[in-house]
Amino acid sequence: DQQVKQNSPSLSVQEGRISILNCDYTNSMFDYFLWYKKYPAEGPTFLISISSIKDKNEDGRFTVFLNKSAKHLSLHIVPSQPGDSAVYFCAASRGMDSNYQLIWGAGTKLIIKP
Amino acid sequence: KAGVTQTPRYLIKTRGQQVTLSCSPISGHRSVSWYQQTPGQGLQFLFEYFSETQRNKGNFPGRFSGRQFSNSRSEMNVSTLELGDSALYLCASSDPSGRDTQYFGPGTRLTVL
């Protein structure tokens, strides 16, 4: 049972345009959502996060939107740059201590075309 | 601060063998988590260690085990290797104030022949 889904395995966007990466989740108990970026031969690095009490968080070119009623979040990158080409993972967390869960999506490969 | 380091970076083993992977977290981080990454499957959580105790465990068979030492370094062991264990194994550490924000090492690429 995939609790966090990234339905697009890959996405190709022209440099300078907006990239929109999507993520859906099934568990309404998740209270924190994160996006990580991964380059080949490196581990994922934290990009941006959002608490379930918010619907938007912005950090420079990156904005994450959360729609709790639809159980959907998205990452917007504006404008897209060649260095943004990477695999993006969405993750969601809930609970504390031994009940803590951090569930990851399968990732979306973003390709920025020059 | 130095980042998370993992050794070895690459490993080739044959079925039935066992393997031990090592992870050194960022200085001051007491939590270490292990993940398995396979194509199309995202990151599958293996287990988390905190202060030398396993705090959380994913849905992996008992062939996968781990431990953490007093200096927070962690090891992961896989016994009786199977072909399906071929994957990138990632280690991540986090500090006490932010369990969600994990700092990953570069991973160990394990190939089982």
Side-chain angles (χ1 to χ4, degrees):
Chain A
D1 175 31
Q2 276 189 298
Q3 297 187 59
V4 177
K5 297 179 186 178
Q6 293 178 258
N7 293 316
S8 300
S10 66
L11 176 67
S12 189
V13 174
Q14 202 72 36
E15 181 181 356
R17 296 300 230 352
I18 182 171
S19 294
I20 300 176
L21 295 99
N22 295 304
C23 179
D24 297 297
Y25 61 96
T26 57
N27 192 335
S28 58
M29 299 300 291
F30 287 133
D31 51 22
Y32 205 68
F33 302 88
L34 308 96
W35 285 94
Y36 281 75
K37 176 170 140 177
K38 184 181 185 301
Y39 291 119
E42 294 182 14
T45 54
F46 170 75
L47 191 56
I48 192 169
S49 63
I50 187 167
S51 164
S52 61
I53 62 173
K54 296 188 175 182
D55 54 21
K56 177 182 173 182
N57 188 26
E58 195 171 348
D59 183 2
R61 295 185 299 114
F62 303 91
T63 303
V64 56
F65 295 92
L66 176 62
N67 182 334
K68 285 195 294 287
S69 61
K71 295 193 182 68
H72 177 84
L73 68 155
S74 60
L75 173 68
H76 293 211
I77 306 173
V78 184
S80 299
Q81 299 174 353
D84 296 331
S85 294
V87 176
Y88 289 79
F89 290 98
C90 162
S93 73
R94 62 179 287 266
M96 295 175 62
D97 299 320
S98 61
N99 295 320
Y100 174 81
Q101 286 185 308
L102 180 61
I103 308 296
W104 297 77
T108 296
K109 184 175 183 178
L110 177 64
I111 301 163
I112 305 300
K113 299 179 292 186
Chain B
K1 276 186 181 176
V4 177
T5 58
Q6 290 187 247
T7 56
R9 291 293 309 276
Y10 302 93
L11 207 47
I12 298 175
K13 292 284 187 179
T14 56
R15 277 183 301 174
Q17 287 188 306
Q18 77 163 18
V19 67
T20 299
L21 312 181
S22 182
C23 171
S24 292
I26 291 172
S27 177
H29 287 191
R30 292 162 60 193
S31 170
V32 173
S33 297
W34 287 90
Y35 295 88
Q36 181 194 67
Q37 186 192 3
T38 52
Q41 293 297 314
L43 278 69
Q44 303 294 316
F45 172 71
L46 281 152
F47 27 66
E48 179 197 12
Y49 284 87
F50 181 80
S51 293
E52 301 178 67
T53 301
Q54 188 179 87
R55 181 158 69 171
N56 214 336
K57 189 178 189 309
N59 296 320
F60 276 81
R63 300 185 297 108
F64 292 81
S65 63
R67 58 178 175 167
Q68 188 180 33
F69 302 95
S70 58
N71 61 358
S72 294
R73 190 177 72 83
S74 177
E75 286 182 348
M76 189 192 103
N77 185 75
V78 189
S79 62
T80 321
L81 284 165
E82 299 177 0
L83 295 179
D85 296 333
S86 294
L88 179 68
Y89 290 88
L90 291 160
C91 161
S93 72
S94 58
D95 69 32
S97 64
R99 202 169 174 183
D100 296 312
T101 305
Q102 306 209 338
Y103 297 84
F104 284 84
T108 294
R109 171 74 62 186
L110 171 65
T111 303
V112 182
L113 303 175

